[in-house]
Structure formats: structure tokens, C-alpha cells
Amino acid sequence: MRYTKILTLAGLLAAAPLSSPALAANGHYVPGVEGIGGPAVPPPGVYYRGYLVRYDIDNLRDGQANKAPGKNTGEVTALANRFIWITDKTFLGANYGVETIIPLQNTSLDFRGVGVKDSDSGLGDIFVGPVVLGWHGQQWDAVFAAGHWFETASYEPTEPASIGKGHGTTMLTLGGNWHFDADKSWSFSALSRYEIKTEQDDTGVTPGDSYLIEWALSHRLDTGLNIGLVGYEAWQLEGDKGGSTDKAEKHALGAEAGYFWPNHGLGLNAAFYQEYNNEAGPEGALLRLHLTKVF
């Protein structure tokens, strides 16, 4: 069937810095969960960031971006719990830290046009990042990080809404934040992720490497409110080894607003993205809230 490859990719959903081809371009990391100030590593301390994500699937696209026939919809709701410890140690002039991400998610698929209906919920694949490096200049910030997504969630090849991916992923991060003025009221940021996958034990398929960029052009008002234009571009760079030769691709444009209360060590951001021109997977809209707490 023409859309079997789409279902193989689109069926394995998850979320937030979570895992899912429905949300990611065949990788674990989901574009759109970071936006304004994403590449800026905070000063030494312990932090929690909770990402609440809702992804509404409007349609399915094949490897040539053609829309699948019939009505194909779905929803993914997830809460990714990220814990960050930035130490007082430095390496290569950067602050050194570690992090972990523990996602919880619920997926519901109703792809009537291609004959798939399935749902699942539970704990997603867990990420451990032993390397977080953050540099800070007078008008810039930069980050490099490395970590691995482990196969901790359930995965069944015959169940399209399985929470897990069925494989591990090594993720490398590189990004920067540039402030156009001394007051840092205008900023541009770009945060990239490169993902390298292991073989799925149950299928013998090794998903192709993927790459994405999240970007934001933002302005902080005199009231302290941060507003901005945000977007993401994600590509599967090579076909799956032992599987589909189609390469997933996702593009989105959106808006974000955020505010930080320094007296409470608390920040709240909200963003909405509309996807366009996707290939080899679902297409839809993403709503993201993230709460930051400084301890």
C-alpha cells in the first residue's frame, strides 16, 4: 500500500523533548519544545523545566509531501520533566552541567483514511545528558551538549501508537544566542540537534540520522514580557537501513510569549506552531507550555 511507509513512521508517537516520529523527523527530540532563549545555559544551580505539549495531527504526508486520502487525525499530549544541574566547575571556559529528561505521554490515532486506529499512554524513553557546556559573552551565549535516549518505554511494531521508539538515540546539541543591543532587549537564537540511532531489535531497522534547528527572533518589552517569532526546520538526512528509503521532513512557524518572576525563581512560556510542507509523516499544529523553576 502506498502509505505503509507513512504509518511505519507516523505511528510511533511520543512527545516533548520526548520521542516520536509524529512529532520529530524520525528522531527522539521534538522540535518546538525550545524557543526564545533556548541556547542560553543558566548560571550554576539546580533547575526544573516542565514541558507540556499538545500536538494535533491534521493529515498524513508521503515522501513527496502528497496528502494521504481520507480523514487522518490524531492527538499527542505529553509532559516532559527535565532536571538540570549546572555546577560551579568549568571546562574550556564554559560552565559544566548534567541533565535528564523523563517524559510521560498519551497518544491517540484515528487514521481512518489508511485504516489505523490505536492509542497508548505511559512513561516514554528517558534521556540522560552527562555533558552540558554553556559559554557567556557580553552580548552572546553558546551551548554544546551530548547525551543518550534509552529504550525505557514499551514498543510493539504492530501497535502504531506505542510510546517507545524501540531503539536508542545519541543526541548532540549546538546552539547560540545573540543580543543585538547592550540592554539585551532584541535577540536571535538558533539551537540545533543531531541524532544518531541504534538498530531496532524487534525489526532490524536502523533509522537514518536526523538534524533539526529551532530558532527565535524575540523582543523583551519594558514590562519584562518576552515576545517573539519562532520556528523549526527538521530533516531526516538518510533513509532507514533495512527499512523505508523515504526521509521525513518537518517545517513550522509560530509565535511565543514568556515572562520570568525573579523574586520567585519562576518562568512561564507559551508557544504555538503551525506546520507546513511536511514529508513522510504527519502534519499538524503544536501547542507548548513550559514552566521553569530555579531551586
Side-chain angles (χ1 to χ4, degrees):
M1 186 176 181
R2 182 182 180 186
Y3 293 95
T4 299
K5 293 179 181 179
I6 289 182
L7 297 178
T8 302
L9 290 171
L12 313 175
L13 311 189
L18 350 179
S19 49
S20 166
L23 296 176
N26 93 314
H28 269 85
Y29 184 82
V30 175
V33 297
E34 295 287 2
I36 296 175
V41 174
V46 177
Y47 303 84
Y48 166 79
R49 176 167 282 184
Y51 302 83
L52 182 61
V53 175
R54 167 74 177 210
Y55 182 64
D56 289 307
I57 300 169
D58 298 327
N59 61 81
L60 297 176
R61 301 281 173 168
D62 67 10
Q64 288 72 48
N66 297 311
K67 190 175 180 180
K71 186 176 181 180
N72 300 289
T73 61
E75 301 85 32
V76 181
T77 304
L79 172 64
N81 302 284
R82 183 184 182 193
F83 301 92
I84 309 163
W85 176 32
I86 304 299
T87 72
D88 56 3
K89 308 297 182 183
T90 60
F91 179 71
L92 298 177
N95 294 117
Y96 170 76
V98 297
E99 64 177 336
T100 187
I101 299 167
I102 304 172
L104 300 169
Q105 57 221 42
N106 179 78
T107 297
S108 178
L109 305 178
D110 190 11
F111 297 162
R112 299 181 186 179
V114 291
V116 170
K117 186 176 178 64
D118 194 21
S119 63
D120 196 11
S121 62
L123 178 69
D125 291 338
I126 293 175
F127 177 79
V128 177
V131 177
V132 178
L133 299 175
W135 292 267
H136 305 282
Q138 189 168 355
Q139 287 185 225
W140 59 270
D141 305 283
V143 62
F144 171 80
H148 190 79
W149 295 92
F150 291 89
E151 303 172 52
T152 54
S154 62
Y155 168 74
E156 292 293 338
T158 58
E159 298 177 4
S162 290
I163 293 301
K165 300 280 291 181
H167 63 79
T169 297
T170 296
M171 185 171 75
L172 305 176
T173 296
L174 183 65
N177 196 42
W178 175 256
H179 307 288
F180 295 103
D181 58 327
D183 292 335
K184 300 183 179 180
S185 61
W186 285 94
S187 302
F188 178 78
S189 66
L191 186 65
S192 66
R193 316 276 190 177
Y194 191 92
E195 294 182 288
I196 305 166
K197 291 70 168 207
T198 64
E199 181 181 298
Q200 285 182 322
D201 293 334
D202 293 335
T203 65
V205 173
T206 302
D209 292 357
S210 57
Y211 178 75
L212 67 90
I213 298 176
E214 298 167 291
W215 58 267
L217 177 63
S218 62
H219 177 54
R220 190 184 70 251
L221 305 177
D222 292 339
T223 60
L225 180 68
N226 238 333
I227 57 174
L229 182 68
V230 293
Y232 57 78
E233 327 297 329
W235 301 269
Q236 181 179 346
L237 301 179
E238 56 186 0
D240 299 341
K241 296 178 182 177
S244 172
T245 58
D246 285 345
K247 293 182 286 187
E249 192 170 320
K250 298 175 79 69
H251 303 277
L253 187 64
E256 180 173 352
Y259 194 85
F260 185 76
W261 293 267
N263 293 337
H264 302 284
L266 196 66
L268 181 65
N269 285 58
F272 177 81
Y273 296 81
Q274 181 62 57
E275 293 183 334
Y276 64 93
N277 199 34
N278 288 9
E279 296 183 12
E283 186 173 85
L286 185 144
L287 175 65
R288 178 257 299 164
L289 301 176
H290 73 236
L291 175 72
T292 303
K293 174 60 181 174
V294 183
F295 294 99

